[in-house]
Amino acid sequence: MRTRDHGIQARRATPALAVTTAVLAAVLLAACGGGSGAKASQTAAKVNKEEITVHQINFVLQRQPNVKPEQVDAASRQILERLIDQELAVQKAQDLKLDRDPRVVQQIETAKREIIARAYADHLGETASKPTDQEIRQYYNDKPALFAERRIYNLQEINIEAKPDQFEAIRAKLQGAKTLPEFLEALKTDNFKFVGSQVVRSAEQIPLNNLDAISRLKDGQFIMNGQPNGITVLFLAGSQRQPATEAQARPSIEMFLLNQRRSELVAKDIKSMRDNAKIEYVGKFAEAASAPASSTPTSATDTAASAAPTAAPADSSSTPKGQGIQ
């Protein structure tokens, strides 16, 4: 279950949901003859001996929340044509007995298990209580970098190949340079290999564990962070304040806190089931299970955060006192 803090952008979710509801209502009216009282068939098309139903079209429409009511008819026809092509492919695959291929059967079973497990998580998540006004206000006040002091960051990231005993020399070059090009030229002179990139990120697009350190930077300051194969240097080339009021941020905060509670409920229930289940590891997995865990399993939330566009890992301890490179 993905729980990301997207700042003020999520406030559009409610209108989108309303549009989706209107879209589905319009499709259902069309399927029922436009309210004429005639009971229309739920079949949208027949492909050889198989039927494609209005329910199948509705299901696809639910996954396209940006469809406007006036676009329903056109979207429905496009979806129907895609479903017809899909049905033809399925029928051909069945004629070739591809649906009995062990690899296909395995994929179907895996998808089935994922869907059922997700249904359990959704069902349990429905029992989570909504955050109170006080909890929403507290979160807003606790995250000024996301809301009251929100900024858009122009970030320049330099990844440098270096050994640990070279870190201090690079730091000295960085602090002594007056401009970024001067620092990069110094790296070239000493034959350091590096790769640079520039991105623009709003506060909500930066992982929370990095945002606090980045938000403390002033324009022109930098962060250095040691990596296994070198150093990452992150410059704040510039920033622009775009604060969000509590009213603007409220929908996204409420959704974030609710999703967080849902994730916690699922994690707690899974842990309880593991504690009470008889789990026996076999073969090489038995040996691995008896060894101390080297790391904590990655949660869905961690995976989502790591896959999102982010700036360089932040290290607040290396933030310089001066302005650094400007």
Side-chain angles (χ1 to χ4, degrees), residues 26-27 51 79 83 167 210 215 224 316 324:
V27 172
E51 294 183 349
I79 291 170
L83 290 175
F167 288 4
N210 290 351
S215 67
M224 284 184 60
S316 58

Side-chain angles (χ1 to χ4, degrees), residues 41-76:
S41 170
Q42 290 298 307
T43 301
K46 292 183 179 180
V47 183
N48 295 322
K49 295 181 180 180
E50 300 297 330
E51 294 183 349
I52 296 176
T53 68
V54 173
H55 297 300
Q56 290 173 273
I57 297 175
N58 290 348
F59 180 78
V60 178
L61 276 173
Q62 289 178 12
R63 303 171 69 180
Q64 299 179 1
N66 293 325
V67 178
K68 299 178 181 179
E70 62 270 20
Q71 298 173 326
V72 169
D73 289 342
S76 298

Side-chain angles (χ1 to χ4, degrees), residues 220-222 319-326:
Q221 289 187 326
F222 62 87
T319 302
K321 296 180 180 179
Q323 279 294 103
I325 291 181
Q326 300 184 14

